[in-house]
Structure formats: structure tokens, C-alpha cells
Amino acid sequence: MKVYNTLTRKKEEFIPIEKGKVKMYVCGPTVYDYIHIGNARPYVTFDTVRRYLEYKGFEVTYIQNFTDVDDKIIKKANDENTTMEVISNRYIEECFKDADGLNVKRASHHPRVTEEMDHIIEMIAELIEKGHAYEVDGTVYYDTKSFPEYGKLSRKNLDELIAGASERVEIDSAKKNPTDFVLWKPFKPGEPKWQSPWGEGRPGWHIECSVMAKRYLGPTIDIHAGGEDLIFPHHENEIAQSEACNCAPFAKYWLHNGFITIDNEKMSKSAGNFFTVRDIASQFPYEVIRFFILNGHYRSPINFSRDLMEACQNGLERIKNCKKDLEYYIENCKEETAKSIENTEDIERFRNEFEEAMDDDFNTADAVTAVYELVRFINKNSKENVSKDFAEKEMDMLKTLTGILGIAENISNSENDEDVSKIEELIAKRAEAKKNKDFASADAIRDELSAMGITIKDTRQGVQWFRS
Ligand code: AMP
Ligand code: ZN
């Protein structure tokens, strides 16, 4: 199995540090709002990597953090006149709802900054002790010049970085070098604070991942992953912190997903060109979003568009219909229809194609093609009345391959036109009832929809609905 390693800029044979085990860390979101579909990409991508590794027989320990201390969370808490904890708990819960909808398996552990504070302070103290960090008036900085390999992941030269520092890093006259970054910042009124040897304050962003990876996985891990925007400075800084502190290599393989773009611009909250997963899930089933993400290679950009989503929805329906038809066939077929020409190798061929794609740096785009080919084979064969035993083998293969991709698992819950028109009819009736001030009927319709697993949301643009 080959994986593309950002550290070496090469595809390398995947050999875990400990035979049969994989230790994997994926940077998680800052929880101050709903996640957008760009944020969903690392979720779905690395969940699929994990599923494939598990399929291959590895025991995977998967850690994904929540950044629950951050300027944006504090700002939102102040705007809503509440605490940072209320905001982060709310959006962690919402994030899990989206992740569950996207069929992303829970990590082995989801550490939060607020729960790791003692360990964060310990690592910062150790970095100071080892001469890699220094304190100035309650702020602790990492001394980038103390780590000669700084820049090795992003392939940035420290002197060039220093020369162009004003564009890329915070200017701060207290720093020894412009590229030095904050490990601990002093308390400001209106912000949460923790006691530390450097006074009251809170940690900078980068240190949390070094601490959590070490706590839950040990000093050296197999895979560290995230979106490509994290390469610099976040992952570069994580390497500097972890390797200087632990005197051991941090991660063997660095995997980075490409961006989801809109009009070829990176989708981001700050640019305002984003769609939340929740918004899109009100128009398409969640699993179409997952399938959309897996239709491209994870390192290539994907331009988000309604057309592409619709094409993915049709493709997914094709796979699900095949599964449904095959299920019906298995229940109803007669043994005597068995054919002498049946050959299990005809089915195994699709597993080989699928594995070949996934073994080549998790090429899910080609893996999806292998699934479509299997679907075509089944559609052709089942009509010819294969034996029940053979049909079951086809079904096993289809379930195995779609299970690795995490798609088409629930065929009974398939979206069909009848369902949609019933939902829309009820929503229209409710609007009519509300217009007539018949709130009892309106509430009863909402309950009826809720019993069907449909949640509705009144927005200024009209009523949105999504499957809960
Ligand atoms: P953030 O909450 O902004 O730190 O992002 C959480 C994760 O989503 C990180 O791994 C980012 O690299 C990733 N990410 C953010 N925007 C995009 C995007 N437009 N396309 C793909 N990944 C993204
Ligand atoms: Zn991180």
C-alpha cells in the first residue's frame, strides 16, 4: 500500500511503526459554528482511510481533537452574552450530528483543550526547560531558531520566512525571531483563564495537538492528517514542538486533503463563500455529501456545484437500487436456477480493482469506479437468474466495498419522489394552517413530520427540511 507523504513529497510504502497497529491523529475543528462542507472533507476522507486500514486488518487508534479555546469562540460567547463553554458544547454537539449524518465513525477519543490544560502547561514548561521556548511578560514563545529543522514539512527556509515575515506571521516586538509563535498568552479581561507558572492565561493554538497526540498515541505516530492549509504554520509548529520536546520523530506519514472550492476559490468562513453541511443536508441526503467528497481523489481540489451533487445523487441511487434489487432477488430466487457458468473469481475481480485503487494513495475516485463496475455486473447477472449462493456472494462483495466507502448502507431509507412530495405536501399544509392562525394543526403536522424522521426549520427564505 502506497501513501503520499507531504514530508517527503513522495508516494511511500506504508509500513506502520508497530506491526498490525496504526496510530492516527487528525486535526479537528474549532467549535464556534456549524461545520461547512470544506471542513467535512477531512472528516470523510480520513474516516475512509481509517475504514480501509481496518479492512486491511490494522488495529487503528484514531484521535481527533476539538479546539474549544479560541478567539472566535470567545467572541461568539461575548456576543451572545454567555460562556465559551456554552458555545463550544453547543457546536460540538452539532458537529457530531453532522459527522453522524455523514457516517463518520467516532474517533477512539475526542480530546478537548479545556480538558488537557495541565498537560499543555507541562509540555510548555518542558520546552522552556530544554531551551526551545522563552517567556516575555507572561507570554511564552517557541524559539524557532532553536529547532534547526524548522520548515522541513512546508519546505520553507527560515531566513526567507523571516525576511517575508510581515505577510505570514504575527509581528510582535517581544519575539526573538519573527517566526517564533505563541505557546501561552496572558489573560485579557473578558477572556477565560487558567493558572500557569507564567501567570493567568490560556494556550496558543498549536500546542494542543502536540500534547494530545503524545497523550493518546505516544511520542511517535504513524499518520498525522488534516487539510492542506494546516501544513504551514500549524503542522510545521506541531513538529517543532513535539520533536524538540520528545527528542523523537513526530509523525511518519503526513497526509493532507486538498480544498473544496467555490468558483475555484477555497471555501472558508472568513471569505464568506461557504455552505454549511447542515444547509446542504436540507437539500440532499447526508450520504450524497459523503459520496460527493469520495468521488474525487483526496489531494485534488473539488469545485462544489449543484450539478455535481445531483450527479452524485444519481450515482448513489444506482448503487442503492442494485443493492435493493439484489436483496429482493436473494429473498425470492429459486435454488434450481443455479448456473454452471458461475465463477467466484468473476466477483473477486472487483475487490482486486478496488484494492488496487485504494492501495494507490487511497484513490477513492477509482475505487468508486470499481463499485460501479460491480453494480453493472450484478445488474446483468441477477437478471439471468444466478443461484442464491452466487447472489449472496455478489451481495457480500457489494456490502464490503460500499462499507469501506461508508455509503449506501441503509437502502430502506432511500429517498424517493413519493417521500419527497409527501413531505412537501405536509409542509405546505402547515404553512396554510399557520397563515390561518390554526397553530394546533400546524404543531400536529410538525409532529407528524418529526415521527417520519423529518426536522423542519423556519427560515427567512422559507421552510427548510432535513432528515434527522
Ligand atoms: P478549521 O476549523 O478551519 O481549523 O478547519 C477544520 C479542518 O477543515 C482542517 O483540517 C482544515 O484544513 C479543513 N478545511 C477548512 N476549509 C477547507 C476547504 N475549503 N476544503 C478542504 N478542507 C478544508
Ligand atoms: Zn493540529
Side-chain angles (χ1 to χ4, degrees):
M1 184 166 62
K2 290 229 163 23
V3 299
Y4 182 86
N5 188 353
T6 310
L7 191 62
T8 57
R9 303 288 197 271
K10 281 194 193 97
K11 274 187 198 168
E12 293 174 22
E13 192 58 37
F14 180 74
I15 305 164
I17 299 156
E18 192 181 336
K19 198 165 179 278
K21 296 197 171 158
V22 177
K23 295 174 185 173
M24 190 166 172
Y25 185 95
V26 183
C27 295
T30 306
V31 279
Y32 68 102
D33 209 340
Y34 292 98
I35 59 166
H36 62 68
I37 175 158
N39 304 135
R41 191 170 192 190
Y43 262 90
V44 169
T45 298
F46 300 116
D47 174 68
T48 307
V49 167
R50 172 201 193 164
R51 285 169 184 256
Y52 188 62
L53 291 169
E54 285 174 345
Y55 160 79
K56 285 269 197 172
F58 292 106
E59 188 189 309
V60 181
T61 312
Y62 190 100
I63 304 296
Q64 185 167 40
N65 65 310
F66 282 117
T67 301
D68 64 349
V69 179
D70 177 84
D71 290 348
K72 297 186 205 95
I73 309 173
I74 296 168
K75 184 177 178 307
K76 186 130 186 171
N78 289 341
D79 289 350
E80 288 192 20
N81 205 11
T82 185
T83 61
M84 191 178 69
E85 200 186 359
V86 167
I87 300 293
S88 52
N89 281 342
R90 182 197 302 159
Y91 289 109
I92 286 172
E93 206 177 298
E94 297 300 345
C95 184
F96 275 135
K97 279 188 204 159
D98 284 334
D100 291 348
L102 292 167
N103 201 15
V104 170
K105 288 178 25 167
R106 295 285 164 112
S108 315
H109 197 71
H110 287 276
R112 304 176 185 190
V113 181
T114 49
E115 291 168 357
E116 304 290 333
M117 210 51 83
D118 291 350
H119 306 283
I120 290 175
I121 291 168
E122 253 168 52
M123 190 181 262
I124 297 174
E126 201 171 334
L127 284 168
I128 296 178
E129 203 180 291
K130 291 185 168 158
H132 292 287
Y134 55 95
E135 187 219 335
V136 184
D137 298 332
T139 303
V140 182
Y141 297 97
Y142 186 95
D143 182 353
T144 46
K145 277 229 160 137
S146 77
F147 185 68
E149 290 176 280
Y150 191 77
K152 71 176 170 181
L153 180 70
S154 53
R155 307 255 166 130
K156 290 185 189 297
N157 171 300
L158 194 56
D159 293 330
E160 276 167 22
L161 273 175
I162 291 173
S166 55
E167 301 155 27
R168 315 199 124 263
V169 292
E170 271 174 65
I171 296 293
D172 178 345
S173 57
K175 288 180 187 180
K176 283 193 198 163
N177 316 292
T179 44
D180 293 355
F181 55 90
V182 172
L183 299 172
W184 187 263
K185 47 181 113 177
F187 168 68
K188 280 198 225 136
E191 294 191 353
K193 59 180 189 223
W194 286 264
Q195 243 348 303
S196 83
W198 320 286
E200 291 177 328
R202 62 186 170 103
W205 170 37
H206 313 294
I207 191 72
E208 67 190 63
C209 293
S210 286
V211 170
M212 293 165 180
K214 184 180 182 182
R215 282 253 299 144
Y216 296 96
L217 299 169
T220 304
I221 67 175
D222 295 293
I223 297 176
H224 196 314
E228 67 180 35
D229 52 336
L230 299 186
I231 297 173
F232 186 83
H234 184 56
H235 288 164
E236 196 68 67
N237 292 353
E238 282 189 38
I239 293 178
Q241 294 163 159
S242 295
E243 298 196 351
C245 180
N246 306 330
C247 304
F250 182 30
K252 196 166 172 194
Y253 305 97
W254 285 87
L255 271 58
H256 291 101
N257 66 269
F259 293 138
I260 290 194
T261 57
I262 290 202
D263 299 329
N264 300 312
E265 292 283 327
K266 181 195 169 200
M267 184 186 286
S268 75
K269 288 245 166 69
S270 51
N273 61 345
F274 66 94
F275 292 106
T276 63
V277 169
R278 201 60 64 86
D279 280 345
I280 299 167
S282 69
Q283 295 168 39
F284 294 93
Y286 269 109
E287 63 177 343
V288 175
I289 305 176
R290 181 174 180 113
F291 194 51
F292 161 81
I293 290 171
L294 296 177
N295 263 272
H297 186 278
Y298 76 92
R299 284 192 287 119
S300 308
I302 317 179
N303 206 32
F304 179 78
S305 75
R306 200 179 171 87
D307 286 355
L308 202 48
M309 284 293 287
E310 278 167 4
C312 287
Q313 185 162 26
N314 292 337
L316 191 58
E317 274 309 303
R318 199 140 52 93
I319 298 169
K320 290 174 80 165
N321 286 337
C322 168
K323 226 175 186 179
K324 257 191 267 181
D325 291 351
L326 191 58
E327 193 173 69
Y328 179 84
Y329 182 74
I330 289 169
E331 276 165 20
N332 297 288
C333 77
K334 310 218 170 16
E335 278 305 330
E336 59 270 26
T337 56
K339 282 197 164 183
S340 56
I341 53 156
E342 286 172 2
N343 184 350
T344 313
E345 276 173 30
D346 286 340
I347 311 175
E348 282 300 317
R349 177 160 67 85
F350 300 103
R351 183 201 300 279
N352 295 342
E353 275 177 33
F354 184 95
E355 287 191 9
E356 211 175 290
M358 292 297 277
D359 283 345
D360 183 14
D361 191 30
F362 309 105
N363 190 340
T364 54
D366 286 358
V368 166
T369 304
V371 172
Y372 280 142
E373 278 170 18
L374 172 61
V375 164
R376 201 168 305 134
F377 175 86
I378 294 171
N379 287 344
K380 193 164 147 237
N381 269 276
S382 303
K383 285 192 197 107
E384 290 178 20
N385 299 336
V386 292
S387 70
K388 185 171 178 168
D389 181 52
F390 193 75
E392 277 170 350
K393 285 194 175 116
E394 289 177 323
M395 182 61 119
D396 282 350
M397 185 59 70
L398 189 56
K399 279 190 174 162
T400 302
L401 304 190
T402 53
I404 295 167
L405 298 176
I407 51 153
E409 287 185 341
N410 190 357
I411 48 173
S412 56
N413 196 20
S414 163
E415 199 92 49
N416 66 42
D417 291 342
E418 253 170 47
D419 267 358
V420 174
S421 54
K422 168 120 201 267
I423 292 160
E424 283 172 356
E425 199 183 304
L426 284 168
I427 288 173
K429 270 195 192 158
R430 176 174 167 267
E432 189 61 29
K434 275 176 79 174
K435 212 169 104 193
N436 298 332
K437 303 221 178 320
D438 179 4
F439 296 114
S441 301
D443 286 348
I445 295 171
R446 180 188 278 269
D447 291 346
E448 191 181 340
L449 283 162
S450 169
M452 290 163 66
I454 304 299
T455 308
I456 51 177
K457 196 166 105 188
D458 291 305
T459 72
R460 260 183 291 166
Q461 289 76 33
V463 180
Q464 285 188 345
W465 64 269
F466 48 89
R467 293 186 185 278
S468 19

